[in-house]
Amino acid sequence: MIKNIAVLGAGTMGHGIAEAFAMYGFPVNLYEVNESLRNTVKDIIKKELLFMAENDLIESNEVEKILENITLYDNLEACVKDVDYVIEATPEIIELKQELFKEIDGYCKKETIFASNTSSLALCEMMKYVSEDRKQRMMVCHWYNPAHLLPIAELSYFGNMSEEVYQEVEELYKKAGKQTVKVLKDIPGLVANRIQQGIAREVFSLIEMGVAAPEDIDKALKFGPAFRYATAGQLEVADMGGLDIWCTVGDNLLSVMDNSKESNAILRQKVEEKKLGLKSGEGFFEYPQDNINEIKNEFNKRLIIQLKTSKNYV
């Protein structure tokens, strides 16, 4: 049974993963090499917890208890040596992850399960330098951002591990309030990101063609397909509408829709112009820098409403 957890990396995803496990009472060791981030990450987590309390997702008296479940480390060996489960949330650089797993393989108990939060790198490459025994206890466990609010967790089951080990991790995630997706094949993007990129490709294409303004394209998605997707998956939606209708519409539309195999030119142009969205103050929309916190909080408030509602549709 998994009781003690280590999270490697305290950035956007790492701190959210640590926060999520800590919310459900798990002791979490959080490793971060950047001193500045290490010294401020608990303040970041506390602000997120207080915001959740303000929106009735947790009780305000739980905030300090949750923070006490997280212990910060600057020493990798000390962080991982006694834990049952390690998940890394470091930059998507294969050599970095290979060396990291190789190093902690020598520090951890033989029973410890290794995981990566990646959705783009192959598990077989990440486990290249670990022991043969460890390869049977290593997997991808992919979270969505923000990790402390999004309920999905994609868990790999690629044939390298036993059903018993998989179930042990799945049980951990269910105890942490996650909806798990069992991924049976090691493909880039796993499941959720591939679906998301399919939608994004057509959205960016519609912008490029000038079919509608950005706010209207987002409105079409939010109050059309995404309105159903909040409580129903694509396959259920298709069944409800009739597979014959979906087949006919597919024949009529798919041949004229975007089928590009690289990022859209208008998206690439935005990146070249340093218009990166919220982080730069402008993307497809404008984000006044003095209102950044309010904008992020409003976005997360909508996620909290969906999270509360989704509990009725499990």
Side-chain angles (χ1 to χ4, degrees), residues 35-181:
E35 183 179 5
S36 176
L37 179 55
R38 193 170 61 250
N39 291 337
T40 58
V41 68
K42 276 208 172 182
D43 292 331
I44 295 170
I45 294 172
K46 185 173 183 177
K47 287 180 181 178
E48 293 173 347
L49 293 171
L50 288 172
F51 184 75
M52 284 190 280
E54 290 170 8
N55 288 275
D56 302 318
L57 194 60
I58 62 173
E59 298 293 331
S60 58
N61 61 6
E62 295 177 354
V63 172
E64 292 302 325
K65 295 177 183 177
I66 293 169
L67 289 170
E68 289 172 3
N69 287 335
I70 301 173
T71 304
L72 294 169
Y73 283 85
D74 62 359
N75 182 286
L76 183 58
E77 182 176 4
C79 178
V80 303
K81 68 176 182 178
D82 293 321
V83 301
D84 306 307
Y85 174 82
V86 180
I87 180 167
E88 66 82 22
T90 59
E92 292 287 86
I93 303 169
I94 187 63
E95 294 82 5
L96 174 64
K97 295 183 189 293
Q98 287 174 336
E99 290 302 317
L100 182 63
F101 282 126
K102 178 183 178 181
E103 183 174 358
I104 65 173
D105 193 24
Y107 298 151
C108 291
K109 303 179 296 184
K110 65 179 183 178
E111 299 85 6
T112 303
I113 297 169
F114 288 4
S116 172
N117 181 55
T118 188
S119 70
S120 63
L121 298 176
L123 178 63
C124 61
E125 289 299 315
M126 289 188 290
M127 64 167 61
K128 188 173 182 178
Y129 299 119
V130 302
S131 65
E132 291 302 313
D133 287 342
R134 188 75 66 187
K135 288 177 181 178
Q136 299 175 42
R137 305 182 70 82
M138 191 165 169
M139 63 194 300
V140 173
C141 297
H142 178 238
W143 299 56
Y144 250 49
N145 182 41
H148 63 291
L149 295 180
L150 271 290
I152 187 176
E154 296 176 297
L155 310 182
S156 73
Y157 187 61
F158 296 157
N160 61 300
M161 64 170 54
S162 67
E163 178 71 20
E164 181 181 11
V165 172
Y166 176 85
Q167 288 179 355
E168 187 176 359
V169 176
E170 185 179 53
E171 183 63 24
L172 166 69
Y173 276 76
K174 288 181 177 179
K175 287 180 179 178
K178 295 300 175 184
Q179 295 295 321
T180 60
V181 175

